[in-house]
Amino acid sequence: MWRPSVQRVLDKYRELWALGYAMALMGWDSETYMPEGAAKERGEAEATLVLIRRRKLLSMAPLVYRMRPGNDEERGMKRELLRSIRYHRRVPREVVEELAKVTNEAKVVWRRAKEKSDFSMFRPYLERIVELNRKKAEALGYENHPYDALLDLYEEGFTVKDADRMFSELKGIGKLVKGVRAESPLENEEYEKESMETLNREILRELGFQEEYQRMDVSAHPFTESIGLYDVRITTWYHGKDFRRSLLAAVHEFGHSIYERGVDEKYWMTPVQGGVSMGIHESQSRFYENIVGRSREFVEHFFPLMRKHLPFLEKYTVDDVYLYFNLVRPDYIRVEADEATYNLHILIRYEIEKGLIDESVSVEEVPQVWWDMVEKYLGLEPREEKYGCLQDIHWSLGYFGYFPTYTIGTVLAAQIAHHMDPWDRIREGRFGEIREWLKERIHRWGSVYPPKELVKRALGEEINPEYFVERVRGIVKLFS
Ligand code: MG
């Protein structure tokens, strides 16, 4: 069914696909059931598999160059393979190996530095990691800004120009949320883990979670792992109180998982089988978490079920829960931030990363720059560093260029909501229609189209933060 020059590549690609399958399963296992003492050995096995995969990929290069794609799908396959080959060809092995070594140590040091709120412990590692990322950007090449090369790794085709435009529209949110401090007694209501888990499962089943092809487990931080097209796993967490955290995390990961499950079966075992970018992926998870999960219609629809499993809800109304799901309260920690303030946290990280990569900010200045922006955008006073630039794991892992994809996802989710108008369907529990809408326009295409083109085809316009800003205005109004 594919052209001969494409089929030849796909026959070879099957080995890479199988390696990816095994590595995904190993990755899922390390975050869920692996005994702690196995970490070092697992790391060795993974590092070796990464090298095998790289070698196999590069050995396919001549065949890839000779691919003669005849349609969009085959062009997508070639594009995906060329991207990976280019990455491995351009980034010198020393940089890759050095980065792996430094981040391996940095992870451990970062954890200790965070506990002690001591930036000076982490500083030399961050210096090394920034330098290596700069080298990586130079090796990869860019047109206007070195950070473009890093952004492109997570969001193909997205540049500093795009990001600057997106974030400049979001800066005004700082003024909207200033001084808002919404609270709810529901934050302190305690639940039984078993009941909470049953509630999560029953809600997800109605949204379209398929137990035949999916599982839900528990991990330190919720995540989705796509092992294959027929095996997509998610996790959530249970804190014993504040039940929206557990529920909305499960709903968020569900959104990631049906993107992977919704890819057209004819792309199985091809380079376009998976979701196309981090930003598009996050748009699907945020759509389910923010648009569906935090809506009044959702709370209304599931309220009887929530009351059945969480008896304390007898004292509360649909509106109490709806407000509780949407509380606005500028705070220090990104992962605990509400929808309205979340992107201000990303804005801060984006500005600092961009500055570190183009050398307008030095590593030494990071805490100062951080607190200046926290005051400016979130209206909060400086605190210990564990509430500041030491809070996130990303830099210790060497991830530069990743944070903006969270904002791309949130912004796109609001934009999708505008085009879909899902409210009646949510209230009436017609979740199959929502799934179909997303599948037809986004999921089924896997990585056939690069993200910007996919957005244009799906929504008829480019990414546009206005819908999100409008949405935040509405949320803030609930509390003022
Ligand atoms: Mg996510």
Side-chain angles (χ1 to χ4, degrees), residues 365-393:
E365 292 167 322
V366 167
Q368 190 53 51
V369 177
W370 184 284
W371 292 120
D372 287 348
M373 283 200 277
V374 164
E375 272 196 282
K376 184 170 168 199
Y377 294 116
L378 292 161
L380 301 168
E381 300 284 313
R383 279 188 78 173
E384 304 93 292
E385 299 306 339
K386 68 176 165 194
Y387 298 100
C389 66
L390 287 178
Q391 65 179 271
D392 291 309
I393 194 172

Side-chain angles (χ1 to χ4, degrees), residues 3 38 78 232 281 462:
R3 288 188 156 201
K78 184 167 184 180
V232 185
H281 238 297
E462 281 173 25

Side-chain angles (χ1 to χ4, degrees), residues 203-209 254 258 287-288 292 295 297-298 300-302 420-439:
I203 289 180
L204 289 198
R205 204 171 298 138
E206 221 179 305
L207 294 182
F209 190 79
F254 166 79
I258 56 154
F287 179 83
Y288 272 97
V292 177
S295 69
E297 290 80 359
F298 177 89
E300 205 182 304
H301 179 77
F302 285 114
M420 185 196 297
D421 195 11
W423 315 113
D424 289 345
R425 280 172 269 199
I426 300 172
R427 187 186 304 108
E428 293 158 20
R430 290 185 280 130
F431 296 110
E433 292 175 28
I434 293 177
R435 272 196 324 275
E436 274 310 305
W437 197 101
L438 294 170
K439 184 175 169 136

